[in-house]
mmCIF file of all heavy atoms in Angstrom:
data_model
loop_
_atom_site.group_PDB
_atom_site.id
_atom_site.type_symbol
_atom_site.label_atom_id
_atom_site.label_comp_id
_atom_site.label_asym_id
_atom_site.label_seq_id
_atom_site.Cartn_x
_atom_site.Cartn_y
_atom_site.Cartn_z
ATOM 1 N N SER A 58 -0.059 2.671 10.439
ATOM 2 C CA SER A 58 -0.845 3.643 11.191
ATOM 3 C C SER A 58 -2.018 4.053 10.317
ATOM 4 O O SER A 58 -1.934 4.002 9.080
ATOM 5 C CB SER A 58 -0.010 4.878 11.535
ATOM 6 O OG SER A 58 1.141 4.525 12.264
ATOM 7 N N GLY A 59 -3.104 4.473 10.940
ATOM 8 C CA GLY A 59 -4.277 4.810 10.147
ATOM 9 C C GLY A 59 -5.057 5.968 10.713
ATOM 10 O O GLY A 59 -4.865 6.382 11.869
ATOM 11 N N ALA A 60 -5.966 6.510 9.895
ATOM 12 C CA ALA A 60 -6.821 7.617 10.325
ATOM 13 C C ALA A 60 -8.024 7.708 9.403
ATOM 14 O O ALA A 60 -7.981 7.283 8.244
ATOM 15 C CB ALA A 60 -6.059 8.938 10.315
ATOM 16 N N TYR A 61 -9.095 8.272 9.936
ATOM 17 C CA TYR A 61 -10.303 8.540 9.159
ATOM 18 C C TYR A 61 -10.265 9.972 8.641
ATOM 19 O O TYR A 61 -9.569 10.837 9.184
ATOM 20 C CB TYR A 61 -11.549 8.357 10.022
ATOM 21 C CG TYR A 61 -11.823 6.937 10.425
ATOM 22 C CD1 TYR A 61 -11.389 6.449 11.650
ATOM 23 C CD2 TYR A 61 -12.520 6.071 9.574
ATOM 24 C CE1 TYR A 61 -11.646 5.141 12.040
ATOM 25 C CE2 TYR A 61 -12.783 4.759 9.951
ATOM 26 C CZ TYR A 61 -12.344 4.294 11.184
ATOM 27 O OH TYR A 61 -12.594 3.006 11.552
ATOM 28 N N GLY A 62 -11.031 10.221 7.612
ATOM 29 C CA GLY A 62 -11.129 11.561 7.074
ATOM 30 C C GLY A 62 -12.187 11.633 6.009
ATOM 31 O O GLY A 62 -13.152 10.861 6.008
ATOM 32 N N TYR A 63 -11.991 12.556 5.074
ATOM 33 C CA TYR A 63 -12.946 12.684 3.979
ATOM 34 C C TYR A 63 -12.215 13.137 2.726
ATOM 35 O O TYR A 63 -11.132 13.729 2.781
ATOM 36 C CB TYR A 63 -14.059 13.681 4.326
ATOM 37 C CG TYR A 63 -13.609 15.101 4.575
ATOM 38 C CD1 TYR A 63 -13.466 16.018 3.515
ATOM 39 C CD2 TYR A 63 -13.320 15.551 5.864
ATOM 40 C CE1 TYR A 63 -13.041 17.319 3.737
ATOM 41 C CE2 TYR A 63 -12.899 16.860 6.094
ATOM 42 C CZ TYR A 63 -12.764 17.735 5.022
ATOM 43 O OH TYR A 63 -12.343 19.019 5.235
ATOM 44 N N PHE A 64 -12.826 12.830 1.588
ATOM 45 C CA PHE A 64 -12.336 13.315 0.303
ATOM 46 C C PHE A 64 -13.387 14.247 -0.267
ATOM 47 O O PHE A 64 -14.569 13.903 -0.324
ATOM 48 C CB PHE A 64 -12.071 12.167 -0.666
ATOM 49 C CG PHE A 64 -11.584 12.636 -2.008
ATOM 50 C CD1 PHE A 64 -10.260 12.997 -2.180
ATOM 51 C CD2 PHE A 64 -12.458 12.746 -3.084
ATOM 52 C CE1 PHE A 64 -9.808 13.472 -3.406
ATOM 53 C CE2 PHE A 64 -12.012 13.210 -4.312
ATOM 54 C CZ PHE A 64 -10.683 13.576 -4.472
ATOM 55 N N GLU A 65 -12.959 15.437 -0.687
ATOM 56 C CA GLU A 65 -13.871 16.430 -1.247
ATOM 57 C C GLU A 65 -13.467 16.749 -2.683
ATOM 58 O O GLU A 65 -12.301 17.073 -2.955
ATOM 59 C CB GLU A 65 -13.867 17.706 -0.408
ATOM 60 C CG GLU A 65 -14.809 18.778 -0.940
ATOM 61 C CD GLU A 65 -14.840 20.024 -0.071
ATOM 62 O OE1 GLU A 65 -13.989 20.138 0.849
ATOM 63 O OE2 GLU A 65 -15.699 20.885 -0.305
ATOM 64 N N VAL A 66 -14.406 16.669 -3.595
ATOM 65 C CA VAL A 66 -14.155 16.987 -4.998
ATOM 66 C C VAL A 66 -14.052 18.499 -5.150
ATOM 67 O O VAL A 66 -14.916 19.250 -4.678
ATOM 68 C CB VAL A 66 -15.283 16.443 -5.893
ATOM 69 C CG1 VAL A 66 -15.017 16.806 -7.364
ATOM 70 C CG2 VAL A 66 -15.417 14.930 -5.742
ATOM 71 N N THR A 67 -12.997 18.963 -5.808
ATOM 72 C CA THR A 67 -12.811 20.397 -6.045
ATOM 73 C C THR A 67 -12.890 20.765 -7.525
ATOM 74 O O THR A 67 -13.040 21.941 -7.852
ATOM 75 C CB THR A 67 -11.452 20.876 -5.494
ATOM 76 O OG1 THR A 67 -10.404 20.111 -6.122
ATOM 77 C CG2 THR A 67 -11.385 20.707 -3.987
ATOM 78 N N ASP A 68 -12.778 19.770 -8.419
ATOM 79 C CA ASP A 68 -12.763 20.046 -9.852
ATOM 80 C C ASP A 68 -13.614 19.017 -10.591
ATOM 81 O O ASP A 68 -13.703 17.854 -10.180
ATOM 82 C CB ASP A 68 -11.325 20.015 -10.381
ATOM 83 C CG ASP A 68 -10.471 21.132 -9.807
ATOM 84 O OD1 ASP A 68 -10.033 21.010 -8.638
ATOM 85 O OD2 ASP A 68 -10.256 22.121 -10.520
ATOM 86 N N ASP A 69 -14.198 19.448 -11.679
ATOM 87 C CA ASP A 69 -15.086 18.590 -12.465
ATOM 88 C C ASP A 69 -14.269 17.583 -13.280
ATOM 89 O O ASP A 69 -13.469 17.971 -14.134
ATOM 90 C CB ASP A 69 -15.936 19.458 -13.392
ATOM 91 C CG ASP A 69 -16.939 18.646 -14.205
ATOM 92 O OD1 ASP A 69 -17.123 17.448 -13.906
ATOM 93 O OD2 ASP A 69 -17.537 19.217 -15.146
ATOM 94 N N VAL A 70 -14.474 16.299 -12.999
ATOM 95 C CA VAL A 70 -13.800 15.248 -13.769
ATOM 96 C C VAL A 70 -14.818 14.307 -14.404
ATOM 97 O O VAL A 70 -14.483 13.189 -14.791
ATOM 98 C CB VAL A 70 -12.817 14.447 -12.878
ATOM 99 C CG1 VAL A 70 -11.631 15.293 -12.482
ATOM 100 C CG2 VAL A 70 -13.517 13.874 -11.650
ATOM 101 N N THR A 71 -16.067 14.746 -14.515
ATOM 102 C CA THR A 71 -17.116 13.880 -15.068
ATOM 103 C C THR A 71 -16.894 13.581 -16.549
ATOM 104 O O THR A 71 -17.490 12.648 -17.090
ATOM 105 C CB THR A 71 -18.502 14.517 -14.879
ATOM 106 O OG1 THR A 71 -18.511 15.839 -15.457
ATOM 107 C CG2 THR A 71 -18.847 14.615 -13.403
ATOM 108 N N GLY A 72 -16.042 14.348 -17.201
ATOM 109 C CA GLY A 72 -15.713 14.024 -18.579
ATOM 110 C C GLY A 72 -14.867 12.781 -18.715
ATOM 111 O O GLY A 72 -14.744 12.214 -19.803
ATOM 112 N N PHE A 73 -14.291 12.342 -17.576
ATOM 113 C CA PHE A 73 -13.403 11.178 -17.598
ATOM 114 C C PHE A 73 -13.988 9.959 -16.878
ATOM 115 O O PHE A 73 -13.612 8.832 -17.183
ATOM 116 C CB PHE A 73 -12.060 11.533 -16.962
ATOM 117 C CG PHE A 73 -11.379 12.705 -17.585
ATOM 118 C CD1 PHE A 73 -11.069 13.828 -16.821
ATOM 119 C CD2 PHE A 73 -11.047 12.724 -18.932
ATOM 120 C CE1 PHE A 73 -10.435 14.926 -17.387
ATOM 121 C CE2 PHE A 73 -10.417 13.814 -19.508
ATOM 122 C CZ PHE A 73 -10.116 14.922 -18.736
ATOM 123 N N THR A 74 -14.824 10.181 -15.871
ATOM 124 C CA THR A 74 -15.339 9.044 -15.101
ATOM 125 C C THR A 74 -16.769 9.305 -14.641
ATOM 126 O O THR A 74 -17.144 10.462 -14.363
ATOM 127 C CB THR A 74 -14.463 8.753 -13.876
ATOM 128 O OG1 THR A 74 -15.025 7.660 -13.144
ATOM 129 C CG2 THR A 74 -14.360 9.961 -12.957
ATOM 130 N N ARG A 75 -17.540 8.231 -14.563
ATOM 131 C CA ARG A 75 -18.907 8.321 -14.046
ATOM 132 C C ARG A 75 -18.981 7.869 -12.592
ATOM 133 O O ARG A 75 -20.072 7.650 -12.067
ATOM 134 C CB ARG A 75 -19.862 7.486 -14.906
ATOM 135 C CG ARG A 75 -19.561 5.994 -14.955
ATOM 136 C CD ARG A 75 -20.490 5.301 -15.965
ATOM 137 N NE ARG A 75 -20.183 3.877 -16.122
ATOM 138 C CZ ARG A 75 -20.760 2.897 -15.437
ATOM 139 N NH1 ARG A 75 -21.675 3.190 -14.515
ATOM 140 N NH2 ARG A 75 -20.442 1.640 -15.640
ATOM 141 N N ALA A 76 -17.834 7.721 -11.931
ATOM 142 C CA ALA A 76 -17.839 7.341 -10.517
ATOM 143 C C ALA A 76 -18.654 8.360 -9.718
ATOM 144 O O ALA A 76 -18.408 9.566 -9.791
ATOM 145 C CB ALA A 76 -16.412 7.271 -9.989
ATOM 146 N N ASP A 77 -19.612 7.866 -8.947
ATOM 147 C CA ASP A 77 -20.542 8.756 -8.258
ATOM 148 C C ASP A 77 -19.851 9.653 -7.234
ATOM 149 O O ASP A 77 -20.201 10.829 -7.087
ATOM 150 C CB ASP A 77 -21.632 7.922 -7.573
ATOM 151 C CG ASP A 77 -22.643 8.782 -6.837
ATOM 152 O OD1 ASP A 77 -23.450 9.451 -7.504
ATOM 153 O OD2 ASP A 77 -22.612 8.792 -5.591
ATOM 154 N N PHE A 78 -18.844 9.132 -6.530
ATOM 155 C CA PHE A 78 -18.213 9.945 -5.492
ATOM 156 C C PHE A 78 -17.371 11.073 -6.078
ATOM 157 O O PHE A 78 -16.944 11.981 -5.365
ATOM 158 C CB PHE A 78 -17.387 9.078 -4.530
ATOM 159 C CG PHE A 78 -16.041 8.637 -5.045
ATOM 160 C CD1 PHE A 78 -14.874 9.264 -4.640
ATOM 161 C CD2 PHE A 78 -15.924 7.553 -5.913
ATOM 162 C CE1 PHE A 78 -13.633 8.853 -5.096
ATOM 163 C CE2 PHE A 78 -14.686 7.129 -6.369
ATOM 164 C CZ PHE A 78 -13.538 7.780 -5.963
ATOM 165 N N LEU A 79 -17.164 11.060 -7.409
ATOM 166 C CA LEU A 79 -16.451 12.123 -8.104
ATOM 167 C C LEU A 79 -17.386 12.941 -8.996
ATOM 168 O O LEU A 79 -16.927 13.687 -9.867
ATOM 169 C CB LEU A 79 -15.320 11.532 -8.953
ATOM 170 C CG LEU A 79 -14.230 10.752 -8.209
ATOM 171 C CD1 LEU A 79 -13.261 10.113 -9.196
ATOM 172 C CD2 LEU A 79 -13.490 11.658 -7.228
ATOM 173 N N SER A 80 -18.692 12.832 -8.779
ATOM 174 C CA SER A 80 -19.680 13.333 -9.734
ATOM 175 C C SER A 80 -19.995 14.810 -9.615
ATOM 176 O O SER A 80 -20.603 15.377 -10.524
ATOM 177 C CB SER A 80 -20.979 12.536 -9.605
ATOM 178 O OG SER A 80 -21.530 12.698 -8.296
ATOM 179 N N ALA A 81 -19.622 15.464 -8.510
ATOM 180 C CA ALA A 81 -19.991 16.867 -8.346
ATOM 181 C C ALA A 81 -18.971 17.595 -7.487
ATOM 182 O O ALA A 81 -18.503 17.053 -6.470
ATOM 183 C CB ALA A 81 -21.381 16.981 -7.712
ATOM 184 N N VAL A 82 -18.638 18.803 -7.886
ATOM 185 C CA VAL A 82 -17.743 19.636 -7.085
ATOM 186 C C VAL A 82 -18.391 19.892 -5.725
ATOM 187 O O VAL A 82 -19.571 20.221 -5.630
ATOM 188 C CB VAL A 82 -17.451 20.965 -7.799
ATOM 189 C CG1 VAL A 82 -16.667 21.912 -6.891
ATOM 190 C CG2 VAL A 82 -16.678 20.713 -9.093
ATOM 191 N N GLY A 83 -17.625 19.700 -4.666
ATOM 192 C CA GLY A 83 -18.137 19.881 -3.310
ATOM 193 C C GLY A 83 -18.595 18.595 -2.649
ATOM 194 O O GLY A 83 -18.828 18.581 -1.430
ATOM 195 N N LYS A 84 -18.720 17.510 -3.404
ATOM 196 C CA LYS A 84 -19.180 16.251 -2.817
ATOM 197 C C LYS A 84 -18.102 15.670 -1.916
ATOM 198 O O LYS A 84 -16.933 15.617 -2.275
ATOM 199 C CB LYS A 84 -19.556 15.244 -3.904
ATOM 200 C CG LYS A 84 -20.137 13.957 -3.350
ATOM 201 C CD LYS A 84 -20.921 13.179 -4.386
ATOM 202 C CE LYS A 84 -21.644 12.017 -3.731
ATOM 203 N NZ LYS A 84 -22.556 11.325 -4.653
ATOM 204 N N ARG A 85 -18.533 15.218 -0.725
ATOM 205 C CA ARG A 85 -17.601 14.622 0.237
ATOM 206 C C ARG A 85 -17.890 13.142 0.438
ATOM 207 O O ARG A 85 -19.053 12.733 0.465
ATOM 208 C CB ARG A 85 -17.683 15.341 1.582
ATOM 209 C CG ARG A 85 -17.047 16.712 1.604
ATOM 210 C CD ARG A 85 -16.968 17.260 3.024
ATOM 211 N NE ARG A 85 -16.284 18.549 3.075
ATOM 212 C CZ ARG A 85 -15.985 19.181 4.195
ATOM 213 N NH1 ARG A 85 -16.285 18.629 5.379
ATOM 214 N NH2 ARG A 85 -15.364 20.343 4.160
ATOM 215 N N THR A 86 -16.830 12.376 0.614
ATOM 216 C CA THR A 86 -16.932 10.943 0.864
ATOM 217 C C THR A 86 -16.047 10.586 2.042
ATOM 218 O O THR A 86 -14.873 10.995 2.088
ATOM 219 C CB THR A 86 -16.486 10.134 -0.376
ATOM 220 O OG1 THR A 86 -17.328 10.482 -1.485
ATOM 221 C CG2 THR A 86 -16.561 8.640 -0.129
ATOM 222 N N GLU A 87 -16.571 9.836 2.992
ATOM 223 C CA GLU A 87 -15.772 9.402 4.139
ATOM 224 C C GLU A 87 -14.664 8.462 3.665
ATOM 225 O O GLU A 87 -14.862 7.649 2.753
ATOM 226 C CB GLU A 87 -16.642 8.705 5.185
ATOM 227 C CG GLU A 87 -15.871 8.322 6.447
ATOM 228 C CD GLU A 87 -16.706 7.552 7.457
ATOM 229 O OE1 GLU A 87 -17.908 7.347 7.208
ATOM 230 O OE2 GLU A 87 -16.128 7.138 8.492
ATOM 231 N N THR A 88 -13.491 8.541 4.310
ATOM 232 C CA THR A 88 -12.353 7.715 3.928
ATOM 233 C C THR A 88 -11.667 7.144 5.169
ATOM 234 O O THR A 88 -11.815 7.661 6.279
ATOM 235 C CB THR A 88 -11.308 8.537 3.148
ATOM 236 O OG1 THR A 88 -10.826 9.595 3.977
ATOM 237 C CG2 THR A 88 -11.887 9.104 1.867
ATOM 238 N N PHE A 89 -10.904 6.092 4.939
ATOM 239 C CA PHE A 89 -9.967 5.578 5.943
ATOM 240 C C PHE A 89 -8.656 5.308 5.226
ATOM 241 O O PHE A 89 -8.640 4.725 4.135
ATOM 242 C CB PHE A 89 -10.479 4.296 6.591
ATOM 243 C CG PHE A 89 -9.553 3.764 7.664
ATOM 244 C CD1 PHE A 89 -9.554 4.316 8.933
ATOM 245 C CD2 PHE A 89 -8.663 2.732 7.399
ATOM 246 C CE1 PHE A 89 -8.690 3.845 9.923
ATOM 247 C CE2 PHE A 89 -7.794 2.249 8.372
ATOM 248 C CZ PHE A 89 -7.821 2.810 9.640
ATOM 249 N N ILE A 90 -7.549 5.728 5.832
ATOM 250 C CA ILE A 90 -6.240 5.533 5.214
ATOM 251 C C ILE A 90 -5.341 4.734 6.145
ATOM 252 O O ILE A 90 -5.440 4.847 7.374
ATOM 253 C CB ILE A 90 -5.578 6.884 4.875
ATOM 254 C CG1 ILE A 90 -4.393 6.686 3.921
ATOM 255 C CG2 ILE A 90 -5.148 7.631 6.133
ATOM 256 C CD1 ILE A 90 -3.879 7.980 3.312
ATOM 257 N N ARG A 91 -4.498 3.905 5.560
ATOM 258 C CA ARG A 91 -3.479 3.191 6.330
ATOM 259 C C ARG A 91 -2.131 3.450 5.684
ATOM 260 O O ARG A 91 -1.914 3.142 4.510
ATOM 261 C CB ARG A 91 -3.747 1.682 6.382
ATOM 262 C CG ARG A 91 -2.761 0.932 7.297
ATOM 263 C CD ARG A 91 -3.118 -0.548 7.404
ATOM 264 N NE ARG A 91 -2.286 -1.237 8.380
ATOM 265 C CZ ARG A 91 -1.111 -1.816 8.115
ATOM 266 N NH1 ARG A 91 -0.622 -1.779 6.871
ATOM 267 N NH2 ARG A 91 -0.421 -2.426 9.061
ATOM 268 N N PHE A 92 -1.222 4.056 6.462
ATOM 269 C CA PHE A 92 0.164 4.231 6.057
ATOM 270 C C PHE A 92 0.973 3.063 6.622
ATOM 271 O O PHE A 92 0.625 2.514 7.670
ATOM 272 C CB PHE A 92 0.741 5.532 6.626
ATOM 273 C CG PHE A 92 -0.033 6.770 6.277
ATOM 274 C CD1 PHE A 92 -0.816 7.413 7.235
ATOM 275 C CD2 PHE A 92 0.036 7.311 5.007
ATOM 276 C CE1 PHE A 92 -1.508 8.580 6.931
ATOM 277 C CE2 PHE A 92 -0.652 8.476 4.694
ATOM 278 C CZ PHE A 92 -1.425 9.112 5.656
#
Side-chain angles (χ1 to χ4, degrees):
S58 303
Y61 291 95
Y63 62 87
F64 179 79
E65 180 178 10
V66 179
T67 58
D68 294 78
D69 183 11
V70 291
T71 55
F73 304 121
T74 179
R75 61 186 176 93
D77 180 72
F78 78 102
L79 299 174
S80 62
V82 173
K84 184 161 188 173
R85 286 189 177 186
T86 300
E87 184 184 358
T88 61
F89 182 79
I90 194 168
R91 185 176 186 271
F92 304 106

